[in-house]
């Protein structure tokens, strides 16, 4: 992907500990011959905004080494907020080659000052994501333009070599004009040497503006209009002004190109200590699935996760023996290590590339480009089924029939080559979030009630909780919740318990204590209580601006939640003294809404469930449901006590209490039977 070669940032740059003192890491030289010069756009008499772009050129050149990325610009500063343009910075991967600065100039009152003549770069290796266990090795060169003022013009030109050492001349990338560029002249170009002609694909607006050349293409825009992504549409429709290029002829080319990297890494040398680890696993576990689980736990527990992008390691995996000896590795290293163990155990498995960042919507509509994938895991064939194993997850995350994250597309890496594979949407069968709330008010309205809350969390959020809570002792966990509860409705926090249920794949947190319950006094001894977790906010109207495509679908954020509240009623009251408001079941914008009440054995229970059943809504259905929002029942869940009441509330077992069933199990009554 095209990287920015200049950065405008409001943050101060940390310079306390530069790792290089030499300035010759940044080269200086004339502009490359392949750069197409761009004319300056005259400055209008009336201007608005923080800056005006007299010209901005982004050009990609493809040669036998890979990509060279050029950016040149000249911008006039119109407001003090744009003075940060003077914090000139370049970031690059030193494994690809040093950047070249061709020009850095200041224009004021018709005079030009060559900034490079009397200034030098400070080279930093900041590792900005070190706290996230990321070592990418990227260097940043920083130069601060002195005495920059409003009304000045800044001119810069830089080339960065962006080829990956693993791929060499095989490359792919994007040229993009942003959704809301500043006013001025913007030019984009991609050109290539003989023998490097790429596949090209562009969006409609780029097609209309392109100028073809013998060895490239160029696009130019003066004062381009804003082009925001269509409101509410799936991410694939957000591609507005993009040119794609790729030297890969199809997705299978990428699969074949990466597969040998893992095939080589998965072959253990005879002296590797991992052979002994595999023998131990085989001796302790007779079944293939148990062996795969044990191998996965070993990789998850014994090798900590650290992203390693140093020395070209951003694409090539480290060897399993190296990863095992240093006891840290990124997803590539962990995957190679796991593949090696599975191979020793006689379990067939392939590495599979996926997108953890969720940018795979509409992947089949794009040119083949490895940048769309940011993660790799293992798919193993066991007992006629495919199991997913991710060595970067906590050790409680064993092999699964479905990936933990909802991938849309994946790419198996095979020697024969595999195209991308679509993962079909599935309606979730089990809630990702279950919230249980039990209020024991049997001692009366005017006494604090014993309250038990239980949070059951699945998926990636549940694994995050596992990482957070597993590091705490029971005493620390209790102390933490007591501190958090200070000053709110909790009177006491008596006990806090947490565990991760590997069979249910859920983090389960239970808090027990006493609370002052906010019974509403309605006069004459009557009381009412709004139950926690019982109401829905009405869904938002779906629509988009009139100048945007009205025929596009609307995206639905996946989700399935269930809230259950049980109130054990004061012993001095009778069943006929109690009532509750409406239950309902409805469906709007592809989401299922459900609420039901039950009354039995001196307790009222409310269940409220919500699940997204379709990932996208067509505009006709969205327009229909816009008209139904006004009738949506967004009432709070309320129970009422009337001393003289004679309510005939039926007893029912269709709404179980918070303690009656295992809410961490499957087939929960969180939706209507028809839902």
């Amino acid at each position: 992907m095209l990287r920015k070669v200049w950065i405008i940032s409001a943050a101060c740059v940390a310079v306390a500990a530069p790792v290089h003192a030499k300035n010759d890491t940044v080269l200086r030289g004339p502009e490359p011959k392949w750069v197409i010069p761009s004319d300056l756009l005259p400055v209008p008499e009336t201007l608005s905004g923080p800056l005006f772009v007299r010209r901005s050129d982004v050009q990609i050149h493809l040669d036998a080494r890979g990509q060279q990325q050029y950016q040149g610009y000249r911008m006039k500063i119109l407001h003090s907020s744009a003075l940060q343009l003077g914090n000139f910075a370049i970031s690059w991967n030193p494994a690809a080659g040093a950047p070249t600065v061709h020009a850095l100039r200041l224009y004021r009152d018709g005079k030009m000052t060559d900034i490079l003549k009397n200034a030098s770069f400070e080279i930093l290796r900041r590792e900005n994501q070190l706290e996230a266990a990321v070592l990418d090795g990227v260097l940043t060169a920083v130069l601060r333009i002195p005495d920059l003022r409003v009304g000045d013009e800044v001119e810069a030109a830089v080339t960065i070599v962006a080829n990956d050492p693993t791929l060499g001349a095989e490359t792919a990338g994007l040229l993009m004009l942003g959704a809301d560029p500043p006013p001025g002249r913007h030019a984009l170009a991609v050109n290539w040497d003989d023998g490097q002609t790429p596949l090209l694909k562009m969006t409609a607006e780029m097609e209309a503006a392109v100028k073809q050349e013998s060895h490239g293409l160029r696009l130019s825009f003066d004062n381009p209009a804003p082009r925001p992504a269509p409101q509410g549409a799936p991410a694939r429709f957000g591609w507005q002004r993009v040119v794609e290029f790729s030297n890969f002829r199809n997705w299978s080319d990428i699969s074949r190109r990466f597969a040998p990297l893992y095939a080589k890494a998965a072959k253990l040398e005879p002296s590797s200590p991992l052979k002994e680890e595999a023998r131990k696993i085989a001796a302790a576990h007779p079944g293939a699935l148990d062996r795969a689980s044990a191998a996965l736990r070993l990789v998850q527990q014994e090798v900590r996760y650290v992203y390693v992008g140093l020395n070209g390691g951003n694409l090539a995996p480290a060897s399993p023996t190296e990863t095992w000896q240093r006891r840290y590795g990124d997803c590539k290293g962990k995957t190679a290590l796991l593949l090696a163990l599975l191979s020793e155990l006689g379990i067939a498995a392939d590495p599979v590339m996926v997108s953890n960042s969720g940018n795979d919507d509409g992947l089949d509509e794009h040119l083949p480009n490895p940048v769309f994938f940011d993660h790799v895991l293992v798919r193993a064939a066991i007992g006629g089924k495919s199991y997913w194993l991710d060595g970067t997850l906590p050790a409680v995350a064993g092999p699964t029939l479905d990936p933990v994250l909802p991938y849309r597309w994946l790419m198996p890496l095979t020697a024969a080559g595999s195209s991308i594979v679509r993962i079909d949407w599935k309606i979730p069968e089990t809630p990702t979030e279950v919230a249980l709330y039990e209020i024991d008010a049997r001692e009366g309205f005017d006494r604090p009630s014993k309250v038990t809350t239980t949070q059951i969390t699945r998926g990636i959020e549940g694994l995050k909780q596992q990482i957070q809570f597993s590091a705490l002792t029971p005493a620390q966990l209790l102390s933490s919740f007591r501190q958090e509860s200070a000053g709110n409705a909790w009177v006491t926090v008596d006990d806090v318990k947490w565990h991760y249920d590997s069979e249910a794949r859920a983090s389960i947190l239970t808090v027990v204590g006493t609370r002052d319950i906010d019974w509403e006094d309605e006069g004459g001894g009557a009381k009412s209580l709004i139950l926690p977790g019982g109401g829905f906010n009405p869904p938002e109207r779906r629509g988009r601006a009139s100048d945007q495509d009205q025929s596009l679908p609307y995206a639905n954020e996946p989700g399935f939640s269930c809230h259950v509240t049980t109130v054990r009623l004061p012993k001095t009251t009778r069943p006929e003294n109690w009532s509750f408001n409406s239950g309902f079941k409805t469906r709007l914008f592809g989401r299922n809404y459900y609420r039901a009440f039950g009354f039995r054995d001196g307790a009222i229970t409310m269940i409220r469930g919500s699940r997204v059943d379709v990932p996208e809504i067509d505009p006709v259905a969205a327009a229909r449901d816009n008209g139904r929002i006004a009738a949506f029942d967004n009432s709070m869940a309320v129970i009422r006590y009337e001393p003289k009441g004679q309510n005939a509330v039926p007893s029912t077992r269709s709404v179980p209490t918070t303690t009656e069933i295992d809410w961490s199990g499957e087939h929960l009554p969180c939706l209507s039977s028809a839902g």
Side-chain angles (χ1 to χ4, degrees):
M1 179 179 286
L2 176 64
R3 297 178 180 174
K4 284 187 176 179
V5 295
W6 57 278
I7 299 172
I8 299 177
S9 173
C12 295
V13 180
V15 296
V19 299
H20 291 281
K22 295 182 179 180
N23 293 317
D24 59 1
T25 307
V26 176
L27 306 177
R28 302 182 186 182
E31 290 185 342
K33 294 180 180 179
W34 47 265
V35 170
I36 306 168
S38 177
D39 295 333
L40 295 176
L41 190 65
V43 179
E45 293 183 2
T46 59
L47 289 173
S48 60
L51 57 82
F52 178 74
V53 180
R54 299 199 67 189
R55 67 171 178 85
S56 173
D57 294 287
V58 176
Q59 301 187 35
I60 304 295
H61 184 68
L62 309 180
D63 58 24
R65 294 182 298 168
Q67 278 188 50
Q68 295 184 64
Q69 301 175 351
Y70 168 88
Q71 181 155 5
Y73 62 84
R74 181 163 165 176
M75 302 185 186
K76 184 176 180 65
I77 296 174
L78 306 176
H79 189 275
S80 59
S81 63
L83 289 173
Q84 55 191 330
L85 190 65
N87 297 329
F88 184 79
I90 316 165
S91 295
W92 75 97
N93 180 355
T100 301
V101 178
H102 313 293
L104 184 57
R105 305 183 183 103
L106 176 67
Y107 294 86
R108 180 186 300 158
D109 299 329
K111 297 181 180 180
M112 185 273 287
T113 302
D114 185 351
I115 302 298
L116 295 177
K117 185 176 181 179
N118 297 311
S120 60
F121 286 95
E122 188 168 17
I123 311 300
L124 315 173
R125 179 173 156 187
R126 295 183 291 176
E127 298 296 358
N128 290 331
Q129 301 183 71
L130 185 61
E131 70 283 354
V134 173
L135 297 172
D136 57 19
V138 170
L139 298 181
T140 299
V142 179
L143 188 155
R144 298 162 192 81
I145 300 176
D147 192 31
L148 191 63
R149 307 175 191 177
V150 173
D152 290 349
E153 293 186 25
V154 176
E155 182 179 42
V158 179
T159 296
I160 290 180
V161 180
N163 62 298
D164 188 278
T166 303
L167 296 179
E170 294 177 294
T171 187
L174 309 169
L175 280 170
M176 295 181 289
L177 183 63
D180 191 16
R185 173 162 290 168
H186 300 263
L188 305 171
V190 57
N191 46 49
W192 49 84
D193 289 349
D194 288 336
Q196 303 298 326
T197 305
L199 295 176
L200 294 165
K201 185 174 183 178
M202 59 194 78
T203 53
E205 190 169 345
M206 301 304 235
E207 283 275 11
V210 69
K211 295 180 179 179
Q212 297 284 350
E213 299 170 346
S214 61
H215 282 69
L217 57 84
R218 182 170 176 81
L219 308 97
S220 184
F221 302 87
D222 284 355
N223 301 312
R227 193 74 70 233
Q231 179 67 30
R236 65 185 180 276
F237 296 106
W239 289 65
Q240 300 291 304
R241 295 184 285 211
V242 183
V243 175
E244 301 179 58
F245 58 90
S246 178
N247 288 132
F248 296 98
R249 298 295 140 179
N250 49 52
W251 291 103
S252 295
D253 278 356
I254 297 178
S255 176
R256 281 189 294 269
R257 182 66 181 82
F258 281 82
L261 301 177
Y262 290 89
K264 178 182 178 181
K267 293 179 180 179
L268 298 178
E269 56 271 21
S271 61
S272 173
L274 289 169
K275 286 184 171 288
E276 177 61 26
E277 296 296 332
R279 283 192 287 269
K280 292 178 183 177
I281 291 173
H285 303 280
L289 183 56
D290 288 339
R291 290 179 174 182
S293 299
L296 177 59
R297 281 195 302 273
L298 185 71
V299 174
Q300 292 168 333
Q301 287 181 320
E302 300 298 328
V303 179
R304 74 183 188 276
Y305 175 80
V306 177
Y307 171 78
V308 183
L310 306 176
N311 299 319
N314 54 334
L315 291 180
S319 74
T321 301
E322 179 185 2
T323 299
W324 181 249
Q325 289 174 343
R326 65 190 184 187
R327 297 301 176 104
Y328 70 80
D330 57 14
C331 65
K332 302 180 299 297
K334 279 176 167 265
T335 290
L337 172 56
L338 182 55
L339 288 169
L341 289 170
L342 294 175
S343 178
E344 289 292 312
L345 295 167
I347 298 173
D350 291 318
V352 177
M353 293 171 65
V354 293
S355 172
N356 272 3
S357 57
N359 67 349
D360 55 351
D361 184 34
L363 186 61
D364 57 325
E365 300 174 8
H366 297 299
L367 292 181
N369 189 339
V371 78
F372 288 115
F373 302 105
D374 58 13
H375 188 59
V376 62
L377 40 71
V378 172
R379 185 176 61 178
I382 303 173
K385 298 179 181 179
S386 292
Y387 286 88
W388 296 89
L389 297 80
D390 191 334
T392 66
L393 295 179
V396 294
T400 57
L401 293 174
D402 294 307
V404 173
L405 290 176
Y407 303 122
R408 298 179 180 91
W409 294 90
L410 57 88
M411 171 171 283
L413 305 181
T414 63
S418 172
S419 187
I420 53 176
V421 178
R422 184 180 180 87
I423 302 296
D424 292 330
W425 161 271
K426 291 182 180 180
I427 298 177
E429 297 180 357
T430 307
T432 53
E433 176 189 0
V434 178
L436 309 176
Y437 201 101
E438 179 170 330
I439 302 171
D440 188 347
R442 286 178 289 187
E443 296 304 314
F445 295 110
D446 56 351
R447 300 286 299 276
S449 297
K450 180 181 178 181
V451 173
T452 302
T453 66
T454 300
Q455 192 79 23
I456 302 170
T457 309
R458 289 183 169 84
I460 199 68
E461 293 302 320
L463 293 173
K464 289 179 181 178
Q465 286 188 6
Q466 194 276 338
I467 295 172
Q468 177 186 4
F469 294 143
S470 63
L472 301 177
T473 66
Q476 289 173 328
L477 190 65
L478 177 60
S479 175
S480 174
F481 274 84
R482 281 177 171 169
Q483 292 178 26
E484 289 184 9
S485 67
N488 60 29
W490 287 96
V491 177
T492 64
V493 174
D494 302 322
D495 192 19
V496 179
K497 286 186 170 61
W498 171 84
H499 73 283
Y500 192 91
D501 188 324
S502 295
E503 183 175 350
R505 301 189 183 282
S507 168
I508 302 175
L509 175 69
T510 300
V511 181
V512 180
T514 57
R515 294 184 70 133
D516 288 323
I517 303 304
D518 189 18
W519 294 99
E520 183 72 22
D521 189 346
E522 297 188 345
K527 303 284 187 180
S528 66
L529 178 66
I530 297 175
L531 300 184
F536 286 108
N537 292 322
E540 293 184 359
R541 186 182 184 279
R542 303 298 177 95
R544 54 179 62 103
S546 59
D547 61 345
Q548 294 187 334
D549 190 343
Q550 304 299 310
S551 68
L552 301 182
Y554 292 88
N556 252 350
E557 184 68 27
F560 185 6
S561 64
C562 185
H563 294 255
V564 186
T565 299
T566 294
V567 181
R568 304 199 179 278
L569 307 173
K571 293 181 291 186
T572 57
T573 65
R574 296 173 298 174
E576 60 266 28
N577 300 148
W578 288 92
S579 65
F580 42 77
N581 64 333
S582 61
F584 54 80
K585 55 181 178 181
T586 189
R587 189 190 304 265
L588 264 76
F589 303 112
R591 179 182 287 271
N592 194 328
Y593 297 89
Y594 174 71
R595 185 171 74 192
F597 289 86
F599 189 5
R600 175 167 52 87
D601 300 331
I604 293 177
T605 296
M606 180 277 307
I607 293 179
R608 191 210 76 176
S610 174
R611 183 182 68 189
V612 170
D613 289 347
V614 294
E616 297 179 6
I617 315 156
D618 69 75
V620 174
R624 179 200 65 210
D625 286 348
N626 282 337
R628 299 173 58 211
I629 293 176
F632 182 81
D633 188 344
N634 66 335
S635 62
M636 297 290 188
V638 180
I639 62 174
R640 291 184 172 84
Y641 168 73
E642 171 56 57
K644 299 179 181 180
Q646 295 295 323
N647 299 302
V649 180
S651 177
T652 176
R653 291 189 177 276
S654 63
V655 181
T657 68
T658 53
T659 58
E660 194 171 352
I661 66 172
D662 179 7
W663 290 95
S664 68
E666 299 178 346
H667 311 298
L668 300 177
C670 296
L671 298 172
S672 67
S673 57

